[in-house]
Amino acid sequence: MVRVRFAPSPTGPLHMGGVRTALFNYLFARKHQGTMILRIEDTDQGRFVPGAEEYIMESLAWCGIEIDEGIKEGGKYGPYRQSDRKAIYKQYADQLIESGWAYYSFDSAEDLDAIRKEYESRKETFSYDTQTRKTLRNSITLSADEVNHLLNSSLHYVIRFRMPENHEIVMQDLIRGEVRVNTATIDDKVLFKSDGMPTYHLANVVDDHLMQISHVIRGEEWLPSLPLHVMLYQAFGWTDTMPQFAHLPLILKPSGNGKLSKRDGDKLGFPVFPINWNNPETNEVYSGYREAGYFNDAFVNILALLGWNDGTDKEIYSMDELTEAFTLERVGKSGSRFDPEKAKWFNHQYMLLKSNEEIAEEFIKAYSAKLKNQAAVEETEPNDQPAEKEPLQLTEQEWDRVVKIISLVKERAQFVKDLWSQAWFFFEAPTAYDESVIKKRWSPDMTKILKDITLLIEPYLHTDPDEFSLDPADYESMIKTHISSNGLNMGNVMNVLRLCLVGSSMGPGVFDIMAIIGPAAVISRIEKAVQTIS
Ligand code: GLU
């Protein structure tokens, strides 16, 4: 039975590396018909940030990472928030004291600070470990009477793990293989504090055990904690059911120098968070992929390929395909450089993959305010709601027209927010004309040439569009025949026509544009351009 957990601490927004950890857990769970658990690790109350828990859940939901057991979903191994499990941990700390795997330490913060400073003055680093504990104030050095006395006084104390001396811990990691560490290099970590709160290490191991976690899949930054965790399983006598561990490689900055961190915020020119984060303390807003215009499935695809590949060149995966293909064996050991340009490329690929209808819906949502002002897109019902809230009501014909426009421009856009700059001229006439095109293509005889072209189109002005409308091929044969039979310069006339319709040399095919805006707009745009330019 595969049971995995994503165990974030609500100390702020989830970084994209955290989302990737959640994703890999989720893919692994789904692949093995297992259970995905969301456990909130909030034992460090001093670092609790309001709103972070909701942010985490909203981010996961946006990515389509479904939780089977968690603070919202419930489950038979709950509660799933560590502060709600406070009463559970003390007995486990006591158990370790009784078995000799842990001890009380009474050194005050001031005493330890003083010692640390003294070490620093000698250019050494102090750690509370198998050697120094012999000289400090703890239940190893003090008599039983003294210890009892201190425990009964209101003094603060902590419970520390008693690392065995000079012992080689051998660990297995599913990504890194065998890892060996000697206990001489590890300090005696605090497990429990006299305020009744466990630390991360104790709560994490106890909960993984009680929640019957089969695989711990987490970021590489937790690898240094693995020796202690493995020793804790041993100390509790839980080695037989100890989960398997997999430590995921870091996500590196685009430069490849150093890990992509939360502190990078928006500094590197791209978001490091899945969705916008409003820092409740400073009121600052950090941008998220969602608000930057990324599709959620593109974002998931981007994350999946940071540190994992299936051994082929395939790059585009749906969540189902990822579930099918994902294995921990194919997660790499070395850090994976984040490439923001490639991220945009992914979003573009998803733009192309999605149906024109789907993109049209997003486009209409994003630009309903602009579209409302267009004669071509009329509101059927009056409403006082803000434009974004109330979806724009389009007639079937208007809807088809938007879908068609999207099909013509989407290959030129990476994001929905780029679409307006590629499509505005389908909705409004240009008001300015590119000087360089005029210089290159316009000549005095253009006035007459353009007038003749409008005369060609005029007869279609009065036809019923339901009965007859000019499609791109009709415009093409009509105009091209006219150009060649009059011996006109094809390049110049076509470029000038585009200039009249769009104001520049951008956009999809001239005849496609004509067919969409219709004969009346074609004629009026040509007339306006002639007036302005000549
Ligand atoms: N609470 C830890 C974190 O914030 C969890 C580490 C783990 O998965 O063991 O990432």
Side-chain angles (χ1 to χ4, degrees), residues 5 7-9 41 200 204 216-218 222 229:
R5 84 301 193 271
S9 299
E41 301 208 324
Y200 155 72
N204 185 271
V216 168
I217 303 169
R218 61 185 172 192
W222 300 102
H229 294 186

Side-chain angles (χ1 to χ4, degrees), residues 41 98 157 170 173 199 304 314 317 328 337 435:
E41 301 208 324
E98 274 153 40
Y157 65 86
V170 183
D173 185 273
T199 61
K314 186 171 157 78
Y317 292 87
L328 286 171
R337 206 172 56 81
E435 292 286 347

Side-chain angles (χ1 to χ4, degrees), residues 89-106 138-140 147-148 151 157-162 189 191-193 202 232 235-236:
Y89 305 109
K90 171 93 170 54
Q91 55 185 299
Y92 291 99
D94 288 345
Q95 184 186 328
L96 294 180
I97 293 271
E98 274 153 40
S99 57
W101 279 102
Y103 60 93
Y104 297 108
S105 135
F106 301 102
N138 52 50
S139 57
I140 298 171
V147 170
N148 276 331
L151 287 177
Y157 65 86
V158 296
I159 296 178
R160 287 180 186 272
F161 189 71
R162 185 175 186 165
K189 281 274 183 314
L191 300 177
F192 197 83
K193 299 188 213 138
L202 181 70
L232 278 168
F236 282 122

Side-chain angles (χ1 to χ4, degrees), residues 325-342:
F326 185 79
T327 62
L328 286 171
E329 287 72 33
R330 291 221 49 95
V331 175
K333 285 193 190 63
S334 48
S336 166
R337 206 172 56 81
F338 178 68
D339 178 350
E341 291 310 314
K342 184 81 191 213

Side-chain angles (χ1 to χ4, degrees), residues 251-269:
I251 300 180
L252 306 176
K253 293 186 208 293
S255 62
N257 293 328
K259 115 178 204 196
L260 189 60
S261 90
K262 279 189 188 185
R263 282 182 300 277
D264 290 324
D266 292 322
K267 278 184 253 157
L268 300 172

